[in-house]
Amino acid sequence: LLVNNAGGQFPQMALDFKVKGWNAVIDTNLNGTWYMMQSAARQWVDRKTPGSIVNIIADIWRGMPGIAHTCAARAGVAYLSKSVAVEWAPHRIRVNCVAPGVCETSGFVQYPPEGLKTYPGANPMLRVGDAHDIAEAVVYLASPGAKFITGEVLTVDGGEQLWGDPWPPGRPDYFEPKNT
């Protein structure tokens, strides 16, 4: 089993990205994930053993204003995973992703208070998730219970992709609801 859960980003509007910051996020979140996937798959193929990869991405389905760099990288991981799930199926290697929505973790300290205040209403459950929500999804995809699942993304977001309006760096005034 390989679980790719490393990553990083910083809240910033896309017009303000510097090359170094963009490359750091892409290199960590996309390239680092790829290198781990390829290394694990090569070992399993050489040993003729089955394997399972679970990549942690993000709830990218509606874009991620304020952290577009990580959205781009995580979307790349999602579709890379789908592509190699097909290529590696003959080797009995399953590749899936878990896409967390807003989950309270130690990473919350990276975001300004104005960004965090939007999170409790970011999904119809009106709360944030936690690390256990994501861990349980990973355990499921890694388990024999998911032996016929490959190339999929399990979104664990409390319905955020259907509802929410998160802005990690805080919602710009332009997008604040206006009373008419």
Side-chain angles (χ1 to χ4, degrees), residues 98-146:
V98 172
V102 177
C103 292
E104 190 167 1
T105 67
S106 60
F108 262 34
V109 301
Q110 299 300 314
Y111 296 92
E114 57 272 14
L116 295 177
K117 74 179 181 183
T118 67
Y119 285 155
N123 63 62
M125 297 180 93
L126 301 177
R127 64 178 182 82
V128 297
D130 61 39
H132 293 285
D133 296 317
I134 307 313
E136 289 170 352
V138 170
V139 168
Y140 168 66
L141 286 174
S143 78

mmCIF file of all heavy atoms in Angstrom, residues 98-146:
data_model
loop_
_atom_site.group_PDB
_atom_site.id
_atom_site.type_symbol
_atom_site.label_atom_id
_atom_site.label_comp_id
_atom_site.label_asym_id
_atom_site.label_seq_id
_atom_site.Cartn_x
_atom_site.Cartn_y
_atom_site.Cartn_z
ATOM 1 N N VAL A 98 -8.575 10.106 -2.747
ATOM 2 C CA VAL A 98 -9.530 10.645 -1.782
ATOM 3 C C VAL A 98 -9.428 12.163 -1.884
ATOM 4 O O VAL A 98 -8.321 12.720 -1.851
ATOM 5 C CB VAL A 98 -9.235 10.176 -0.343
ATOM 6 C CG1 VAL A 98 -10.116 10.907 0.660
ATOM 7 C CG2 VAL A 98 -9.426 8.664 -0.232
ATOM 8 N N ALA A 99 -10.584 12.808 -2.035
ATOM 9 C CA ALA A 99 -10.638 14.263 -2.180
ATOM 10 C C ALA A 99 -11.309 14.870 -0.956
ATOM 11 O O ALA A 99 -12.536 14.938 -0.888
ATOM 12 C CB ALA A 99 -11.389 14.641 -3.449
ATOM 13 N N PRO A 100 -10.521 15.308 0.027
ATOM 14 C CA PRO A 100 -11.114 15.923 1.212
ATOM 15 C C PRO A 100 -11.685 17.302 0.898
ATOM 16 O O PRO A 100 -11.135 18.053 0.098
ATOM 17 C CB PRO A 100 -9.935 16.079 2.171
ATOM 18 C CG PRO A 100 -8.854 15.222 1.638
ATOM 19 C CD PRO A 100 -9.080 15.146 0.165
ATOM 20 N N GLY A 101 -12.780 17.597 1.562
ATOM 21 C CA GLY A 101 -13.273 18.965 1.597
ATOM 22 C C GLY A 101 -12.584 19.675 2.751
ATOM 23 O O GLY A 101 -11.456 19.334 3.130
ATOM 24 N N VAL A 102 -13.266 20.616 3.348
ATOM 25 C CA VAL A 102 -12.684 21.376 4.448
ATOM 26 C C VAL A 102 -12.626 20.488 5.688
ATOM 27 O O VAL A 102 -13.658 20.047 6.202
ATOM 28 C CB VAL A 102 -13.507 22.646 4.730
ATOM 29 C CG1 VAL A 102 -12.939 23.390 5.926
ATOM 30 C CG2 VAL A 102 -13.524 23.537 3.506
ATOM 31 N N CYS A 103 -11.414 20.211 6.146
ATOM 32 C CA CYS A 103 -11.185 19.403 7.330
ATOM 33 C C CYS A 103 -10.257 20.165 8.264
ATOM 34 O O CYS A 103 -9.225 20.688 7.825
ATOM 35 C CB CYS A 103 -10.559 18.059 6.972
ATOM 36 S SG CYS A 103 -11.663 16.981 6.070
ATOM 37 N N GLU A 104 -10.611 20.213 9.518
ATOM 38 C CA GLU A 104 -9.784 20.930 10.485
ATOM 39 C C GLU A 104 -8.550 20.109 10.812
ATOM 40 O O GLU A 104 -8.632 19.009 11.335
ATOM 41 C CB GLU A 104 -10.568 21.234 11.756
ATOM 42 C CG GLU A 104 -9.830 22.174 12.667
ATOM 43 C CD GLU A 104 -10.698 22.743 13.763
ATOM 44 O OE1 GLU A 104 -11.878 22.393 13.844
ATOM 45 O OE2 GLU A 104 -10.169 23.549 14.536
ATOM 46 N N THR A 105 -7.409 20.659 10.442
ATOM 47 C CA THR A 105 -6.125 20.018 10.701
ATOM 48 C C THR A 105 -5.156 21.088 11.198
ATOM 49 O O THR A 105 -5.500 22.271 11.274
ATOM 50 C CB THR A 105 -5.544 19.393 9.414
ATOM 51 O OG1 THR A 105 -5.219 20.445 8.500
ATOM 52 C CG2 THR A 105 -6.518 18.418 8.775
ATOM 53 N N SER A 106 -3.937 20.682 11.456
ATOM 54 C CA SER A 106 -2.925 21.646 11.896
ATOM 55 C C SER A 106 -2.625 22.680 10.814
ATOM 56 O O SER A 106 -2.130 23.755 11.105
ATOM 57 C CB SER A 106 -1.647 20.915 12.299
ATOM 58 O OG SER A 106 -1.137 20.187 11.187
ATOM 59 N N GLY A 107 -2.951 22.374 9.554
ATOM 60 C CA GLY A 107 -2.719 23.304 8.463
ATOM 61 C C GLY A 107 -3.605 24.537 8.499
ATOM 62 O O GLY A 107 -3.360 25.510 7.786
ATOM 63 N N PHE A 108 -4.653 24.512 9.332
ATOM 64 C CA PHE A 108 -5.545 25.669 9.425
ATOM 65 C C PHE A 108 -4.805 26.937 9.831
ATOM 66 O O PHE A 108 -5.229 28.029 9.478
ATOM 67 C CB PHE A 108 -6.662 25.395 10.448
ATOM 68 C CG PHE A 108 -7.959 24.944 9.829
ATOM 69 C CD1 PHE A 108 -7.989 24.159 8.700
ATOM 70 C CD2 PHE A 108 -9.170 25.301 10.398
ATOM 71 C CE1 PHE A 108 -9.185 23.733 8.137
ATOM 72 C CE2 PHE A 108 -10.361 24.887 9.852
ATOM 73 C CZ PHE A 108 -10.370 24.103 8.712
ATOM 74 N N VAL A 109 -3.702 26.810 10.552
ATOM 75 C CA VAL A 109 -2.978 28.001 11.013
ATOM 76 C C VAL A 109 -2.370 28.787 9.853
ATOM 77 O O VAL A 109 -1.974 29.934 10.037
ATOM 78 C CB VAL A 109 -1.878 27.652 12.049
ATOM 79 C CG1 VAL A 109 -2.474 26.971 13.268
ATOM 80 C CG2 VAL A 109 -0.794 26.791 11.419
ATOM 81 N N GLN A 110 -2.316 28.183 8.652
ATOM 82 C CA GLN A 110 -1.750 28.862 7.484
ATOM 83 C C GLN A 110 -2.722 29.860 6.850
ATOM 84 O O GLN A 110 -2.324 30.629 5.988
ATOM 85 C CB GLN A 110 -1.330 27.839 6.424
ATOM 86 C CG GLN A 110 -0.281 26.869 6.890
ATOM 87 C CD GLN A 110 1.001 27.566 7.324
ATOM 88 O OE1 GLN A 110 1.492 28.454 6.644
ATOM 89 N NE2 GLN A 110 1.527 27.172 8.460
ATOM 90 N N TYR A 111 -3.978 29.817 7.269
ATOM 91 C CA TYR A 111 -4.999 30.619 6.612
ATOM 92 C C TYR A 111 -5.470 31.748 7.521
ATOM 93 O O TYR A 111 -5.571 31.580 8.733
ATOM 94 C CB TYR A 111 -6.173 29.728 6.182
ATOM 95 C CG TYR A 111 -5.703 28.736 5.146
ATOM 96 C CD1 TYR A 111 -5.237 27.476 5.524
ATOM 97 C CD2 TYR A 111 -5.650 29.085 3.814
ATOM 98 C CE1 TYR A 111 -4.756 26.588 4.584
ATOM 99 C CE2 TYR A 111 -5.170 28.198 2.859
ATOM 100 C CZ TYR A 111 -4.730 26.960 3.251
ATOM 101 O OH TYR A 111 -4.234 26.096 2.320
ATOM 102 N N PRO A 112 -5.771 32.890 6.920
ATOM 103 C CA PRO A 112 -6.200 34.030 7.726
ATOM 104 C C PRO A 112 -7.591 33.809 8.319
ATOM 105 O O PRO A 112 -8.395 33.066 7.756
ATOM 106 C CB PRO A 112 -6.205 35.195 6.723
ATOM 107 C CG PRO A 112 -6.354 34.558 5.391
ATOM 108 C CD PRO A 112 -5.707 33.206 5.489
ATOM 109 N N PRO A 113 -7.888 34.449 9.439
ATOM 110 C CA PRO A 113 -9.187 34.283 10.088
ATOM 111 C C PRO A 113 -10.363 34.574 9.144
ATOM 112 O O PRO A 113 -11.388 33.902 9.212
ATOM 113 C CB PRO A 113 -9.156 35.273 11.250
ATOM 114 C CG PRO A 113 -7.704 35.511 11.511
ATOM 115 C CD PRO A 113 -7.004 35.333 10.197
ATOM 116 N N GLU A 114 -10.212 35.549 8.244
ATOM 117 C CA GLU A 114 -11.313 35.859 7.334
ATOM 118 C C GLU A 114 -11.599 34.713 6.365
ATOM 119 O O GLU A 114 -12.716 34.555 5.901
ATOM 120 C CB GLU A 114 -11.082 37.178 6.579
ATOM 121 C CG GLU A 114 -9.811 37.255 5.767
ATOM 122 C CD GLU A 114 -8.598 37.752 6.564
ATOM 123 O OE1 GLU A 114 -8.638 37.802 7.810
ATOM 124 O OE2 GLU A 114 -7.587 38.072 5.929
ATOM 125 N N GLY A 115 -10.590 33.898 6.068
ATOM 126 C CA GLY A 115 -10.805 32.714 5.238
ATOM 127 C C GLY A 115 -11.468 31.603 6.021
ATOM 128 O O GLY A 115 -12.365 30.918 5.529
ATOM 129 N N LEU A 116 -11.051 31.421 7.260
ATOM 130 C CA LEU A 116 -11.600 30.340 8.089
ATOM 131 C C LEU A 116 -13.063 30.563 8.455
ATOM 132 O O LEU A 116 -13.803 29.609 8.632
ATOM 133 C CB LEU A 116 -10.764 30.178 9.360
ATOM 134 C CG LEU A 116 -9.320 29.727 9.133
ATOM 135 C CD1 LEU A 116 -8.572 29.677 10.455
ATOM 136 C CD2 LEU A 116 -9.269 28.382 8.431
ATOM 137 N N LYS A 117 -13.493 31.814 8.523
ATOM 138 C CA LYS A 117 -14.871 32.068 8.946
ATOM 139 C C LYS A 117 -15.890 31.561 7.928
ATOM 140 O O LYS A 117 -17.032 31.319 8.262
ATOM 141 C CB LYS A 117 -15.090 33.553 9.239
ATOM 142 C CG LYS A 117 -15.176 34.430 8.018
ATOM 143 C CD LYS A 117 -15.422 35.879 8.379
ATOM 144 C CE LYS A 117 -15.525 36.708 7.099
ATOM 145 N NZ LYS A 117 -15.685 38.105 7.357
ATOM 146 N N THR A 118 -15.475 31.355 6.668
ATOM 147 C CA THR A 118 -16.411 30.844 5.659
ATOM 148 C C THR A 118 -16.582 29.331 5.748
ATOM 149 O O THR A 118 -17.537 28.789 5.210
ATOM 150 C CB THR A 118 -15.941 31.190 4.228
ATOM 151 O OG1 THR A 118 -14.738 30.477 3.929
ATOM 152 C CG2 THR A 118 -15.725 32.678 4.062
ATOM 153 N N TYR A 119 -15.691 28.645 6.427
ATOM 154 C CA TYR A 119 -15.698 27.188 6.378
ATOM 155 C C TYR A 119 -16.872 26.486 7.034
ATOM 156 O O TYR A 119 -17.374 25.521 6.474
ATOM 157 C CB TYR A 119 -14.385 26.626 6.917
ATOM 158 C CG TYR A 119 -13.239 26.780 5.948
ATOM 159 C CD1 TYR A 119 -11.947 26.818 6.402
ATOM 160 C CD2 TYR A 119 -13.454 26.879 4.588
ATOM 161 C CE1 TYR A 119 -10.884 26.953 5.509
ATOM 162 C CE2 TYR A 119 -12.406 27.017 3.696
ATOM 163 C CZ TYR A 119 -11.120 27.047 4.166
ATOM 164 O OH TYR A 119 -10.085 27.168 3.290
ATOM 165 N N PRO A 120 -17.350 26.862 8.199
ATOM 166 C CA PRO A 120 -18.455 26.092 8.765
ATOM 167 C C PRO A 120 -19.687 26.036 7.851
ATOM 168 O O PRO A 120 -20.424 25.067 7.879
ATOM 169 C CB PRO A 120 -18.766 26.809 10.076
ATOM 170 C CG PRO A 120 -17.472 27.460 10.444
ATOM 171 C CD PRO A 120 -16.858 27.867 9.131
ATOM 172 N N GLY A 121 -19.887 27.019 7.008
ATOM 173 C CA GLY A 121 -21.018 27.004 6.090
ATOM 174 C C GLY A 121 -20.650 26.526 4.701
ATOM 175 O O GLY A 121 -21.426 26.683 3.760
ATOM 176 N N ALA A 122 -19.480 25.907 4.556
ATOM 177 C CA ALA A 122 -18.988 25.502 3.243
ATOM 178 C C ALA A 122 -19.653 24.241 2.712
ATOM 179 O O ALA A 122 -19.394 23.840 1.589
ATOM 180 C CB ALA A 122 -17.472 25.304 3.284
ATOM 181 N N ASN A 123 -20.506 23.609 3.506
ATOM 182 C CA ASN A 123 -21.202 22.406 3.050
ATOM 183 C C ASN A 123 -22.561 22.320 3.739
ATOM 184 O O ASN A 123 -22.789 22.989 4.754
ATOM 185 C CB ASN A 123 -20.342 21.160 3.320
ATOM 186 C CG ASN A 123 -20.101 20.929 4.790
ATOM 187 O OD1 ASN A 123 -21.022 20.713 5.567
ATOM 188 N ND2 ASN A 123 -18.840 20.971 5.195
ATOM 189 N N PRO A 124 -23.474 21.508 3.218
ATOM 190 C CA PRO A 124 -24.803 21.440 3.810
ATOM 191 C C PRO A 124 -24.838 20.783 5.194
ATOM 192 O O PRO A 124 -25.844 20.894 5.894
ATOM 193 C CB PRO A 124 -25.626 20.643 2.800
ATOM 194 C CG PRO A 124 -24.645 19.928 1.957
ATOM 195 C CD PRO A 124 -23.387 20.747 1.981
ATOM 196 N N MET A 125 -23.758 20.149 5.614
ATOM 197 C CA MET A 125 -23.692 19.592 6.966
ATOM 198 C C MET A 125 -23.341 20.675 7.983
ATOM 199 O O MET A 125 -23.404 20.440 9.181
ATOM 200 C CB MET A 125 -22.706 18.429 7.014
ATOM 201 C CG MET A 125 -23.145 17.275 6.115
ATOM 202 S SD MET A 125 -22.000 15.901 6.151
ATOM 203 C CE MET A 125 -22.766 14.937 7.442
ATOM 204 N N LEU A 126 -22.921 21.852 7.479
ATOM 205 C CA LEU A 126 -22.608 23.036 8.287
ATOM 206 C C LEU A 126 -21.551 22.784 9.356
ATOM 207 O O LEU A 126 -21.637 23.278 10.486
ATOM 208 C CB LEU A 126 -23.878 23.624 8.907
ATOM 209 C CG LEU A 126 -24.941 24.054 7.902
ATOM 210 C CD1 LEU A 126 -26.174 24.562 8.638
ATOM 211 C CD2 LEU A 126 -24.395 25.098 6.945
ATOM 212 N N ARG A 127 -20.541 22.001 8.972
ATOM 213 C CA ARG A 127 -19.409 21.750 9.869
ATOM 214 C C ARG A 127 -18.215 21.347 9.027
ATOM 215 O O ARG A 127 -18.352 21.040 7.853
ATOM 216 C CB ARG A 127 -19.732 20.665 10.890
ATOM 217 C CG ARG A 127 -19.981 19.297 10.280
ATOM 218 C CD ARG A 127 -20.255 18.246 11.356
ATOM 219 N NE ARG A 127 -20.444 16.933 10.802
ATOM 220 C CZ ARG A 127 -19.483 16.087 10.452
ATOM 221 N NH1 ARG A 127 -18.217 16.434 10.591
ATOM 222 N NH2 ARG A 127 -19.748 14.904 9.968
ATOM 223 N N VAL A 128 -17.059 21.366 9.630
ATOM 224 C CA VAL A 128 -15.860 20.890 8.943
ATOM 225 C C VAL A 128 -15.629 19.428 9.307
ATOM 226 O O VAL A 128 -16.119 18.947 10.331
ATOM 227 C CB VAL A 128 -14.622 21.749 9.292
ATOM 228 C CG1 VAL A 128 -14.817 23.177 8.809
ATOM 229 C CG2 VAL A 128 -14.323 21.720 10.776
ATOM 230 N N GLY A 129 -14.899 18.744 8.468
ATOM 231 C CA GLY A 129 -14.534 17.365 8.754
ATOM 232 C C GLY A 129 -13.280 17.325 9.599
ATOM 233 O O GLY A 129 -12.772 18.359 10.053
ATOM 234 N N ASP A 130 -12.777 16.108 9.798
ATOM 235 C CA ASP A 130 -11.538 15.954 10.548
ATOM 236 C C ASP A 130 -10.677 14.878 9.894
ATOM 237 O O ASP A 130 -11.092 14.236 8.928
ATOM 238 C CB ASP A 130 -11.804 15.651 12.025
ATOM 239 C CG ASP A 130 -12.573 14.364 12.259
ATOM 240 O OD1 ASP A 130 -12.329 13.356 11.558
ATOM 241 O OD2 ASP A 130 -13.428 14.347 13.162
ATOM 242 N N ALA A 131 -9.490 14.706 10.418
ATOM 243 C CA ALA A 131 -8.535 13.758 9.840
ATOM 244 C C ALA A 131 -9.076 12.333 9.827
ATOM 245 O O ALA A 131 -8.779 11.561 8.904
ATOM 246 C CB ALA A 131 -7.213 13.825 10.599
ATOM 247 N N HIS A 132 -9.887 11.981 10.809
ATOM 248 C CA HIS A 132 -10.444 10.621 10.859
ATOM 249 C C HIS A 132 -11.387 10.360 9.692
ATOM 250 O O HIS A 132 -11.455 9.235 9.186
ATOM 251 C CB HIS A 132 -11.135 10.360 12.195
ATOM 252 C CG HIS A 132 -10.178 10.337 13.342
ATOM 253 N ND1 HIS A 132 -9.328 9.286 13.585
ATOM 254 C CD2 HIS A 132 -9.931 11.250 14.297
ATOM 255 C CE1 HIS A 132 -8.587 9.552 14.638
ATOM 256 N NE2 HIS A 132 -8.936 10.744 15.097
ATOM 257 N N ASP A 133 -12.119 11.370 9.254
ATOM 258 C CA ASP A 133 -13.000 11.202 8.098
ATOM 259 C C ASP A 133 -12.198 10.772 6.874
ATOM 260 O O ASP A 133 -12.615 9.907 6.103
ATOM 261 C CB ASP A 133 -13.751 12.504 7.791
ATOM 262 C CG ASP A 133 -14.690 12.905 8.903
ATOM 263 O OD1 ASP A 133 -15.398 12.041 9.443
ATOM 264 O OD2 ASP A 133 -14.725 14.109 9.222
ATOM 265 N N ILE A 134 -11.047 11.377 6.707
ATOM 266 C CA ILE A 134 -10.208 11.072 5.549
ATOM 267 C C ILE A 134 -9.505 9.728 5.740
ATOM 268 O O ILE A 134 -9.434 8.914 4.817
ATOM 269 C CB ILE A 134 -9.187 12.200 5.310
ATOM 270 C CG1 ILE A 134 -9.907 13.555 5.217
ATOM 271 C CG2 ILE A 134 -8.346 11.914 4.075
ATOM 272 C CD1 ILE A 134 -11.125 13.593 4.314
ATOM 273 N N ALA A 135 -9.018 9.475 6.939
ATOM 274 C CA ALA A 135 -8.344 8.200 7.221
ATOM 275 C C ALA A 135 -9.281 7.022 6.957
ATOM 276 O O ALA A 135 -8.861 6.004 6.384
ATOM 277 C CB ALA A 135 -7.840 8.178 8.659
ATOM 278 N N GLU A 136 -10.534 7.143 7.353
ATOM 279 C CA GLU A 136 -11.483 6.049 7.137
ATOM 280 C C GLU A 136 -11.732 5.807 5.650
ATOM 281 O O GLU A 136 -11.888 4.668 5.219
ATOM 282 C CB GLU A 136 -12.771 6.322 7.898
ATOM 283 C CG GLU A 136 -12.564 6.184 9.403
ATOM 284 C CD GLU A 136 -13.742 6.663 10.236
ATOM 285 O OE1 GLU A 136 -14.691 7.250 9.683
ATOM 286 O OE2 GLU A 136 -13.697 6.432 11.457
ATOM 287 N N ALA A 137 -11.758 6.865 4.851
ATOM 288 C CA ALA A 137 -11.911 6.702 3.406
ATOM 289 C C ALA A 137 -10.697 5.990 2.811
ATOM 290 O O ALA A 137 -10.836 5.118 1.943
ATOM 291 C CB ALA A 137 -12.117 8.063 2.744
ATOM 292 N N VAL A 138 -9.508 6.356 3.289
ATOM 293 C CA VAL A 138 -8.279 5.707 2.812
ATOM 294 C C VAL A 138 -8.289 4.233 3.193
ATOM 295 O O VAL A 138 -7.981 3.361 2.358
ATOM 296 C CB VAL A 138 -7.027 6.414 3.374
ATOM 297 C CG1 VAL A 138 -5.760 5.610 3.083
ATOM 298 C CG2 VAL A 138 -6.910 7.823 2.807
ATOM 299 N N VAL A 139 -8.648 3.933 4.424
ATOM 300 C CA VAL A 139 -8.691 2.533 4.871
ATOM 301 C C VAL A 139 -9.647 1.731 3.995
ATOM 302 O O VAL A 139 -9.338 0.608 3.576
ATOM 303 C CB VAL A 139 -9.086 2.444 6.364
ATOM 304 C CG1 VAL A 139 -9.429 1.018 6.765
ATOM 305 C CG2 VAL A 139 -7.950 2.989 7.236
ATOM 306 N N TYR A 140 -10.794 2.305 3.682
ATOM 307 C CA TYR A 140 -11.740 1.605 2.813
ATOM 308 C C TYR A 140 -11.122 1.316 1.446
ATOM 309 O O TYR A 140 -11.145 0.179 0.972
ATOM 310 C CB TYR A 140 -13.038 2.402 2.648
ATOM 311 C CG TYR A 140 -13.893 1.831 1.537
ATOM 312 C CD1 TYR A 140 -14.456 0.565 1.653
ATOM 313 C CD2 TYR A 140 -14.072 2.530 0.349
ATOM 314 C CE1 TYR A 140 -15.194 0.023 0.621
ATOM 315 C CE2 TYR A 140 -14.806 1.997 -0.692
ATOM 316 C CZ TYR A 140 -15.370 0.739 -0.553
ATOM 317 O OH TYR A 140 -16.091 0.202 -1.573
ATOM 318 N N LEU A 141 -10.567 2.338 0.798
ATOM 319 C CA LEU A 141 -10.012 2.127 -0.539
ATOM 320 C C LEU A 141 -8.822 1.172 -0.542
ATOM 321 O O LEU A 141 -8.559 0.514 -1.554
ATOM 322 C CB LEU A 141 -9.615 3.470 -1.166
ATOM 323 C CG LEU A 141 -10.788 4.324 -1.637
ATOM 324 C CD1 LEU A 141 -10.293 5.689 -2.107
ATOM 325 C CD2 LEU A 141 -11.583 3.633 -2.737
ATOM 326 N N ALA A 142 -8.115 1.084 0.560
ATOM 327 C CA ALA A 142 -6.972 0.175 0.661
ATOM 328 C C ALA A 142 -7.402 -1.251 1.030
ATOM 329 O O ALA A 142 -6.612 -2.178 0.891
ATOM 330 C CB ALA A 142 -5.986 0.699 1.701
ATOM 331 N N SER A 143 -8.624 -1.413 1.470
ATOM 332 C CA SER A 143 -9.083 -2.696 1.999
ATOM 333 C C SER A 143 -9.551 -3.658 0.909
ATOM 334 O O SER A 143 -9.825 -3.246 -0.226
ATOM 335 C CB SER A 143 -10.246 -2.456 2.970
ATOM 336 O OG SER A 143 -11.447 -2.203 2.242
ATOM 337 N N PRO A 144 -9.680 -4.928 1.266
ATOM 338 C CA PRO A 144 -10.248 -5.901 0.324
ATOM 339 C C PRO A 144 -11.686 -5.551 -0.083
ATOM 340 O O PRO A 144 -12.138 -5.969 -1.142
ATOM 341 C CB PRO A 144 -10.208 -7.218 1.111
ATOM 342 C CG PRO A 144 -9.143 -7.027 2.131
ATOM 343 C CD PRO A 144 -9.190 -5.559 2.488
ATOM 344 N N GLY A 145 -12.367 -4.764 0.736
ATOM 345 C CA GLY A 145 -13.727 -4.347 0.387
ATOM 346 C C GLY A 145 -13.780 -3.481 -0.866
ATOM 347 O O GLY A 145 -14.834 -3.335 -1.474
ATOM 348 N N ALA A 146 -12.657 -2.908 -1.262
ATOM 349 C CA ALA A 146 -12.595 -2.055 -2.452
ATOM 350 C C ALA A 146 -11.789 -2.733 -3.561
ATOM 351 O O ALA A 146 -11.264 -2.068 -4.449
ATOM 352 C CB ALA A 146 -11.980 -0.709 -2.091
#
